Amino acid sequence: MRLLVAALLGSLVGMERERLLWAAGIRTHMLVSVGACLTMIVSAYGFQNSIQQPHTVLDPARMAAQVVSGIGFLGAGSILLRGNSVRGMTTAASIWSVAGLGLAAGGGLYFAASVCTGIILVILAGMKPLEEAYRARIQSCTFRMRSERGAVPFDQLKKVLRVRGGQVKRIEVQSVEDDLDDTTILLVRVSQADIRAGAARLKEMPGVQNVKVSKKGSRKL
């Protein structure tokens, strides 16, 4: 019964990861949960005969405790570095959490394991829209503007873009012709609405020929 409960709870979390096409899906989460559950059962009941022997002292919790640290290699395998972004941290955390579900089910703590499964699913699926909405407000972006020389003075850029000094990370100006400049402006912690409005205001300035914007989120899980 405990092994089946662990498999069921692990599959629920795995289905959420499978829905997003992550490498660690239903089978991986089920195996982690069932394996952790079996380790807990062996740790709790596998040494009963040895404990009953005289002058024998054993700590049955030590075997189950190794699951918490040992599961790290699976989590590390799901983390990928792509360019400047790290992907797979959430899946690694879900694998580690599923191991805890298996331990709880192996210890007979069905209610705690079920409640924890519900909380994990809410975090993985329910919190994602809120996280994406928050990330939309803390994007970084790069403005690339071609303009006539001196058309946009440095001291006017922050006023035109309506940003604070801490949001401007870098401004670079490169002369491309005798009377034209290419200006690159890197901004951080700006929303999509601010980016669109800033680009529109730059394009309306006299002497500005074109403005290009490239956006990037602050991080990826």
Side-chain angles (χ1 to χ4, degrees):
M1 176 63 71
R2 297 184 183 190
L3 293 169
L4 291 176
V5 170
L8 174 62
L9 298 181
S11 68
L12 295 178
V13 179
M15 279 191 288
E16 197 283 332
R17 296 286 85 186
E18 191 80 43
R19 179 176 61 88
L20 300 178
L21 302 178
W22 284 101
I26 297 177
R27 293 188 301 168
T28 301
H29 284 76
M30 290 180 69
L31 289 172
V32 170
S33 185
V34 171
C37 178
L38 179 61
T39 303
M40 186 64 178
I41 293 173
V42 173
S43 181
Y45 305 107
F47 306 99
Q48 293 294 325
N49 294 333
S50 299
I51 294 176
Q52 295 174 0
Q53 299 297 323
H55 309 296
T56 300
V57 179
L58 294 176
D59 181 8
R62 292 183 63 183
M63 187 172 179
Q66 301 309 307
V67 173
V68 178
S69 58
I71 202 64
F73 81 96
L74 275 180
S78 66
I79 299 174
L80 301 175
L81 177 63
R82 296 180 180 176
N84 294 324
S85 63
V86 178
R87 299 175 59 86
M89 291 290 290
T90 303
T91 300
S94 71
I95 293 174
W96 185 83
S97 301
V98 164
L101 293 180
L103 292 175
L109 305 176
Y110 299 135
F111 180 75
S114 301
V115 171
C116 187
T117 301
I119 294 174
I120 292 173
L121 291 176
V122 169
I123 293 172
L124 291 177
M127 297 297 293
K128 190 174 182 63
L130 297 178
E131 186 180 36
E132 291 177 347
Y134 174 74
R135 287 180 181 175
R137 297 189 58 83
I138 57 171
Q139 289 185 340
S140 61
C141 74
T142 301
F143 289 92
R144 292 181 173 86
M145 175 181 64
R146 174 162 291 187
S147 63
E148 297 177 2
R149 183 158 302 167
V152 186
F154 280 175
D155 57 352
Q156 296 295 320
L157 282 175
K158 288 193 294 184
K159 295 181 180 179
V160 173
L161 295 174
R162 297 180 184 177
V163 294
R164 300 183 300 275
Q167 292 176 282
V168 181
K169 285 301 181 182
R170 187 175 69 248
I171 299 178
E172 296 178 356
V173 179
Q174 182 179 3
S175 298
V176 292
E177 295 180 12
D178 293 339
D179 57 346
L180 293 178
D181 288 336
D182 278 350
T183 304
T184 302
I185 310 165
L186 175 61
L187 301 180
V188 295
R189 298 192 302 274
V190 289
S191 66
Q192 292 184 4
D194 293 336
I195 294 172
R196 290 193 295 267
R201 286 191 292 269
L202 284 176
K203 292 177 181 178
E204 294 174 354
M205 296 191 66
V208 176
Q209 296 187 354
N210 62 71
V211 178
K212 297 181 179 179
V213 183
S214 58
K215 294 181 290 184
K216 182 179 180 182
S218 61
R219 61 188 179 97
K220 184 72 174 174
L221 301 177

